[in-house]
Amino acid sequence: MLDLSRLRALHAVSVHGSVAGAAAALGYTPSAVSQQIAKLERETRTTLLERRGRGVALTDEARHLAHTAQELLAIVERAETTLEERRGLPSGLLRVAAFASAARGLLPGVLAELAGRHPALDVRLTEVDPHLSVDLVARGVTDLAVAHDWDIAPLPAPEGVEQAVIGDDRCELVVPEGHPFTTRRVIRRADLGGQRWVCQPPGRVCHDWLMRTLRTAGFEPDIAHVAEENHTVVALVAAGLGVAVVPRLGTGRLPAGAVAVPLEPAPVRRLYALWRTGAARRPAITEAVRTLREHWPRVAQEAPLPGDAASVPRPAGAAPQ
C-alpha cells in the first residue's frame, strides 16, 4: 500500500523541481522530504531521484508515479470537499499562494480574520511569483492563489481553474521630492521622456509595461537601476536616483524624499483569487474569497494620497463585483 504523504512529497518535488522547493511548499524541512522519498523508494523498490550536479532529477518511473499521485490527491481533495461541505463550516488545511505585495499588503489582515472566525481552519501562506501561481493551483499544489494581471499580460485561465475579481490596484508615478513633475496637476505618458528610471527586472510585468509604454510614446527607456522589491525601488527614488511607476498595494507609506504624482491614464493591475473547480463548493474557499474581497476596499484606502509623501489616507472606490 503506497503512503499518500510520501506520494504528496514526490508530487511536490516534481512540481517544484527540487527537494528544497517541495519542502518550502509543504511546510517541511528538506531532510523530511528526502526521508519521505527514501521510504517511498524502499516501498516501491524503485529509484525515484537521481543526482544531477547539486540538484536532483526524477527518473521515468518517478514521473509516472508523480502523475498518478496527482490523480490520487485530486480524489482525496474531492472527498475532503464533500465532508467539509456537509459540515457547512470552513475547516482543514487551506494552502494559499500570493505574490509579494499582496502577501505583504493584503493577506495579513485576511489571514488574521480567518483565524479568529474559523479556529478549525488551518491557513498556510506561501509567497510566489504571480506567473507561477495559476499552475500551482491547477496542479493541486496550492488550494487558493492571489494573482494579478495587466492589460499587456492577461491572466491565463486553464481548464479546471476558476477565478473571481478581488479589486483593481492603481499604479502611480513616484518621483524625488523637488522634481519638476511635483508642480504638475497631471502627468501624461507623452511627458515621460528624458527620465532616468528605477524598475523591476526584465520579465516582470512592471518592467515590460514601462518598456512598451515609453517606446509606444517614442522614447527609449533609460533604466538606471533595477530592483526586485517595490520598497527598494521607492527607496532609490527617494534618494534622488530616478523615477518609477509603482502599484499602491504593498508599497506602504512613501518615505521622506519620495512623492507620488498622478499619471493619466494610470496603469492598473487587477487582482484575482483562483481555485480549482473541484474545490469550488468547499466552505474554506468560499469564505477565504469573500474575506479577500471584503478586505480589499479597506486596504486600498490605507495607501498614501498622490502627491503626499507620508500620511494622508487616499480615497478609493469599492472593488468591482
Side-chain angles (χ1 to χ4, degrees):
M1 181 69 69
L2 297 176
D3 184 277
L4 189 62
S5 62
R6 291 164 197 164
L7 290 173
R8 190 185 300 275
L10 178 64
H11 176 250
V13 173
S14 73
V15 170
H16 294 280
S18 69
V19 170
L26 295 172
Y28 299 159
T29 63
S31 62
V33 172
S34 295
Q35 289 172 15
Q36 293 278 44
I37 299 298
K39 290 177 181 178
L40 187 59
E41 287 183 323
R42 290 196 295 271
E43 290 172 350
T44 59
R45 287 175 287 192
T46 303
T47 300
L48 300 175
L49 298 183
E50 296 177 336
R51 287 287 178 186
R52 294 281 178 87
R54 296 184 178 180
V56 295
L58 272 68
T59 62
D60 290 340
E61 292 81 2
R63 284 191 288 271
H64 173 75
L65 192 56
H67 177 73
T68 302
Q70 182 174 344
E71 296 176 339
L72 291 173
L73 292 170
I75 294 172
V76 171
E77 179 183 57
R78 290 196 295 271
E80 292 174 340
T81 297
T82 299
L83 288 173
E84 188 179 327
E85 186 181 18
R86 290 175 66 87
R87 295 189 197 103
L89 295 173
S91 61
L93 177 64
L94 181 69
R95 300 162 298 173
V96 179
F99 61 96
S101 55
R104 180 173 55 247
L106 175 60
L107 268 299
V110 170
L111 299 186
E113 180 172 328
L114 290 172
R117 295 176 60 179
H118 305 288
L121 180 62
D122 182 11
V123 185
R124 305 292 179 95
L125 172 66
T126 302
E127 183 180 305
V128 300
D129 187 288
H131 298 294
L132 302 178
S133 57
V134 178
D135 185 57
L136 295 180
V137 171
R139 288 172 176 248
V141 179
T142 194
D143 303 306
L144 181 70
V146 177
H148 66 72
D149 70 5
W150 298 56
D151 56 353
I152 67 167
L155 190 68
E159 183 179 355
V161 175
E162 299 182 18
Q163 64 185 34
V165 174
I166 297 173
D168 285 349
D169 187 20
R170 184 183 176 94
C171 301
E172 293 164 338
L173 181 65
V174 178
V175 303
E177 193 172 17
H179 190 282
F181 282 171
T182 59
T183 63
R184 304 269 296 276
R185 291 181 58 86
V186 65
I187 308 300
R188 304 290 180 185
R189 295 182 183 182
D191 302 326
L192 297 178
Q195 303 296 320
R196 287 168 58 86
W197 290 90
V198 184
C199 71
Q200 293 180 328
R204 302 286 288 273
V205 180
C206 290
H207 179 281
D208 296 344
W209 179 90
L210 180 65
M211 300 296 285
R212 180 178 298 188
T213 297
L214 292 182
R215 286 172 175 164
T216 299
F219 309 118
E220 184 59 30
D222 180 9
I223 307 299
H225 305 285
V226 176
E228 287 277 355
E229 290 289 332
N230 286 326
H231 280 94
T232 305
V233 170
V234 171
L236 291 167
V237 172
L241 299 174
V243 302
V245 173
V246 296
R248 293 177 177 180
L249 178 63
T251 302
R253 300 195 180 281
L254 298 178
V259 179
V261 296
L263 176 62
E264 294 295 342
V268 174
R269 61 180 185 178
R270 175 159 287 186
L271 274 63
Y272 296 87
L274 303 104
W275 61 91
R276 285 179 299 284
T277 301
R281 303 187 318 274
R282 185 181 173 192
I285 295 289
T286 57
E287 179 66 3
V289 173
R290 184 199 65 78
T291 306
L292 282 164
R293 300 182 76 178
E294 184 180 80
H295 272 251
W296 175 253
R298 308 178 201 169
V299 171
Q301 289 171 0
E302 291 172 358
L305 189 71
D308 182 357
S311 61
V312 181
R314 80 178 94 209
Q321 300 299 313

